[in-house]
């Protein structure tokens, strides 16, 4: 089973931190922009002016379009509409981690990847931690908003598999083009469903957009593509289970959301399960007795 190198492990954990804080940042942005407009502006800012310098994506256009439709417009359109409909940032960061299950399901069925016993056990432990968090939060969100977030998780899982299948040689350039193709349908849907946009937002609204466009989208998904190009999707995806840990921590620090002992215990369980699922045990060194060495020498 493939395992992450130490540097790539640190990058995966850092990416989870960036995406965890992202939920609090998006909640701030949704106070000033309607959801589809916010998503469309996010990808437009991520694409331009980088698009002018990026060059062609170096993969077939069908894969760029597939990732844009699933991981781009699909995931974030559904996610932000769900958050605007009543899903709080902390609970959203938890529900969205169902994408790990969808990623593994799609990777096994569409890419023929293997699902090992160790990975199943690690994911079981991690999802046990997520269940504790869900119990602590309570299912207070509207059922429609919850369903939208689950659909966003499915879109993310399918997008992960499409991005691994595309295997772009330059993940950042690929993400620029994904952003460019994701923005127009979101902006058109916003114009249709949300009306003529009002861009008179205070500074914190635009700062939120800058974070999600350049740090979370370009930087985050550029790094995500880098990892997916080198490892199985079912190896990389479990590290996103750390996102709700960072999401709850950032919510406690920046919004005053209480961080209970149950949530801390759940976070520890998630970390343990993710690390167990993403690593492999070291093989025992073979012990060769002096007599065995002599027999080998004679045989040679």
């Amino acid at each position: 089973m493939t395992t992450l190198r130490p540097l790539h492990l640190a990058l995966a954990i850092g990416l989870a931190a960036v995406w965890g804080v992202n939920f609090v940042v998006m909640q701030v942005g949704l106070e000033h922009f309607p959801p589809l407009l916010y998503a469309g502006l996010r990808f437009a800012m991520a694409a331009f002016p980088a698009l002018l310098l990026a060059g062609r994506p170096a993969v077939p256009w069908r894969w760029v379009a597939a990732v844009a439709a699933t991981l781009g417009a699909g995931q974030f359109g559904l996610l932000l509409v769900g958050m605007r409909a009543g899903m709080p940032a902390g609970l959203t960061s938890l529900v969205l981690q169902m994408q790990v299950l969808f990623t593994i399901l799609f990777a096994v069925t569409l890419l023929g990847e293997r699902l090992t016993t160790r990975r199943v056990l690690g994911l079981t432990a991690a999802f046990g931690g997520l269940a504790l968090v869900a119990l602590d939060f309570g299912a207070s969100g509207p059922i429609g908003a919850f369903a939208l977030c689950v659909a966003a998780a499915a879109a993310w899982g399918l997008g992960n598999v499409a991005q691994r299948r595309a295997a772009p040689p330059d993940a950042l350039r690929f993400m620029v083009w994904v952003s460019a193709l994701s923005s127009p349908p979101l902006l058109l849907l916003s114009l249709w469903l949300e009306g003529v946009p009002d861009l008179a937002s205070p500074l914190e609204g635009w700062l939120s957009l800058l974070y999600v466009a350049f740090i979370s989208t370009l930087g985050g998904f550029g790094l995500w593509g880098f990892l997916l190009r080198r490892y199985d999707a079912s190896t990389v995806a479990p590290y996103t289970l750390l996102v709700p840990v960072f999401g709850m921590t950032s919510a406690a620090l920046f919004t005053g959301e209480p961080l209970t002992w149950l949530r801390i215990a759940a976070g520890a369980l998630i970390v343990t399960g993710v690390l167990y699922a993403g690593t492999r045990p070291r093989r025992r060194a073979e012990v060769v007795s002096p007599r065995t060495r002599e027999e080998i020498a004679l045989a040679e």
Side-chain angles (χ1 to χ4, degrees):
M1 181 179 67
T2 305
T3 184
L4 297 183
R5 296 171 55 189
L7 175 60
H8 296 163
L9 174 62
L11 291 175
I13 295 173
L15 178 58
V18 167
W19 282 345
V21 174
N22 193 54
F23 288 93
V24 176
V25 176
M26 288 192 298
Q27 185 167 296
V28 172
L30 289 174
E31 296 175 0
H32 307 289
F33 296 100
L36 294 176
L37 175 63
Y38 185 80
L41 290 175
R42 167 190 190 149
F43 286 115
M45 293 174 66
F48 300 100
L51 185 65
L52 302 177
L53 306 174
R56 294 176 63 84
V59 298
W61 285 105
R62 65 180 182 275
W63 292 116
V64 182
V67 175
T70 53
L71 191 145
Q75 178 201 345
F76 286 104
L78 293 167
L79 172 65
L80 293 170
V81 172
M83 291 182 68
R84 188 63 176 263
M87 286 289 289
L91 186 59
T92 301
S93 70
L94 168 66
V95 172
L96 195 61
Q97 300 322 304
M98 291 183 65
Q99 63 88 11
V100 177
L101 288 179
F102 287 114
T103 297
I104 292 175
L105 175 64
F106 291 136
V108 170
T109 57
L110 300 178
L111 300 181
E113 294 185 5
R114 295 178 57 194
L115 190 59
T116 64
T117 302
R118 184 181 182 88
R119 192 169 293 170
V120 171
L121 292 175
L123 291 177
T124 300
F127 274 99
L130 291 177
L132 290 179
V133 179
L135 178 64
D136 191 45
F137 271 131
S140 57
I143 187 64
F146 178 83
L148 285 169
C149 288
V150 173
W156 188 357
L158 191 58
N160 286 339
V161 173
Q163 189 164 347
R164 173 156 176 78
R165 181 65 180 82
D170 187 332
L172 182 59
R173 179 189 301 179
F174 180 76
M175 194 61 218
V176 167
W177 279 103
V178 167
S179 299
L181 294 187
S182 299
S183 181
L186 286 167
L187 291 176
L188 288 174
L189 282 173
S190 174
L191 184 63
W192 179 31
L193 300 174
E194 299 169 345
V196 179
D198 180 10
L199 301 180
S201 171
L203 179 61
E204 68 177 13
W206 289 104
L207 289 177
S208 169
L209 273 171
L210 287 174
Y211 180 94
V212 300
F214 296 110
I215 298 178
S216 176
T217 302
L218 274 186
F221 280 99
L223 178 56
W224 183 249
F226 170 84
L227 293 173
L228 283 176
R229 190 160 58 92
R230 286 159 174 78
Y231 301 96
D232 290 346
S234 52
T235 297
V236 178
Y239 288 89
T240 61
L241 288 170
L242 298 173
V243 169
V245 176
F246 291 108
M248 290 186 296
T249 304
S250 62
L253 291 175
F254 300 118
T255 69
E257 184 176 324
L259 188 59
T260 65
W261 284 107
L262 181 59
R263 297 179 190 181
I264 294 174
L269 189 58
I270 291 171
V271 170
T272 301
V274 166
L275 293 179
Y276 187 80
T279 57
R280 59 183 176 183
R282 293 181 178 179
R283 294 180 178 179
R284 294 181 177 179
E286 294 182 1
V287 179
V288 182
S289 66
R291 179 176 177 80
T292 303
R293 292 194 186 98
E294 292 176 0
E295 291 174 349
I296 293 174
L298 291 173
E300 292 176 347

